[in-house]
Amino acid sequence: MANFTTHLTVAAIASTALATFGFVGGLSGFGTAVFCLAIGVIGGLLPDIDLETSIPAKRFFTLMSLFIATLTAILYTAYQTTGTQLVEQALMVWGGAFMVVRYGVIGLFSHLTVHRGMVHSVPYMAMCGLFAVYGAFYGFGMTAKVSWLFGGFLFIGAMVHLVLDEIYSVNVLGLKLKKSSGTAFKFFERKKSLRYVMLYIIVFALFLYAPDYQPALNGIHALVQTFATRTI
């Protein structure tokens, strides 16, 4: 498997390229592009949420919790037009969000999951991407277009992680597959067939009731057409 630094570097490069491409092409504003970049990096390290034994991973998860807490506090203050104790309330929201993410969500996942288990699978990362869409749309009041961009960047970052792990599972010099081959980028496991069926049902239900993806799809289509026209 690729190490932490490799995952972080490649996820940052890929997310920066895509976010810049979207911003230059008019798909998103500067602020949205910056958040997409950050979310893409988070996605690039998200599959290792089931492995919190290394110091770099622990530091990243702390930084990720700080980022999410700060974003939550900023969005909270943005929707609070009145209030004499807005700063105190924002600090409480920030502290609560940090504790929930760092020691609740991440801590629980790390404790309950096995490394390279279901978390290292395409449908699981699709579920996480859809959760990001729901969180942005219903939790923070983002538009459907921006919400799907956030979810898309999280999913793409996660796919970069899984592909890297599979690439590192190949002994190129000996042209052999290591024992870890096939344990990262996977869609299904026979030994956990019932769990995967339930996972796919959850993904389908989340997609079915998710906000309209058409605005984001139209924006991406227009972006591709614009760059295709320029290159002809």
Side-chain angles (χ1 to χ4, degrees):
M1 60 179 290
N3 59 31
F4 180 86
T5 303
T6 301
H7 282 308
L8 178 61
T9 302
V10 177
I13 293 173
S15 299
T16 300
L18 288 175
T20 302
F21 182 69
F23 171 67
V24 173
L27 178 63
S28 64
F30 179 76
T32 299
V34 171
F35 278 119
C36 284
L37 191 162
I39 292 171
V41 173
I42 291 175
L45 298 173
L46 185 61
D48 278 346
I49 196 174
D50 57 1
L51 179 63
E52 200 183 355
T53 56
S54 66
I55 293 177
K58 290 181 179 179
R59 289 176 178 174
F60 168 74
F61 290 140
T62 299
L63 290 175
M64 183 175 72
S65 302
L66 289 171
F67 170 77
I68 295 175
T70 302
L71 174 61
T72 302
I74 291 174
L75 293 174
Y76 174 81
T77 55
Y79 284 96
Q80 298 296 318
T81 56
T82 59
T84 56
Q85 297 181 331
L86 187 58
V87 176
E88 291 83 351
Q89 293 174 2
L91 287 174
M92 290 180 63
V93 169
W94 183 90
F98 176 81
M99 296 297 290
V100 168
V101 175
R102 181 64 185 89
Y103 299 104
V105 178
I106 294 177
L108 182 63
F109 268 84
S110 179
H111 178 71
L112 296 179
T113 55
V114 178
H115 189 52
R116 291 241 175 169
M118 286 184 65
V119 176
H120 267 74
S121 71
V122 175
Y124 198 98
M125 289 300 108
M127 181 182 69
C128 291
L130 285 166
F131 277 142
V133 174
Y134 273 72
F137 187 77
Y138 294 108
F140 296 126
M142 302 288 186
T143 64
K145 178 182 177 180
V146 171
S147 299
W148 275 103
L149 287 178
F150 285 177
F153 266 80
L154 188 75
F155 179 73
I156 291 173
M159 291 302 99
V160 170
H161 180 112
L162 300 186
V163 170
L164 275 175
D165 275 349
E166 284 300 331
I167 291 174
Y168 273 74
S169 296
V170 179
N171 185 345
V172 179
L173 297 178
L175 296 178
K176 295 180 180 179
L177 297 178
K178 300 178 182 178
K179 291 182 179 180
S180 58
S181 178
T183 61
F185 196 93
K186 55 181 177 288
F187 292 86
F188 193 80
E189 293 179 85
R190 289 184 179 181
K191 294 181 180 180
K192 302 176 182 177
S193 58
L194 181 59
R195 295 182 182 181
Y196 272 89
V197 169
M198 293 177 64
L199 178 59
Y200 274 106
I201 291 174
I202 292 173
V203 171
F204 177 76
L206 287 172
F207 181 79
L208 189 63
Y209 294 101
D212 186 13
Y213 60 85
Q214 201 62 47
L217 194 62
N218 291 339
I220 295 173
H221 184 260
L223 176 65
V224 172
Q225 281 191 326
T226 299
F227 276 91
T229 302
R230 291 179 181 178
T231 54
I232 295 178

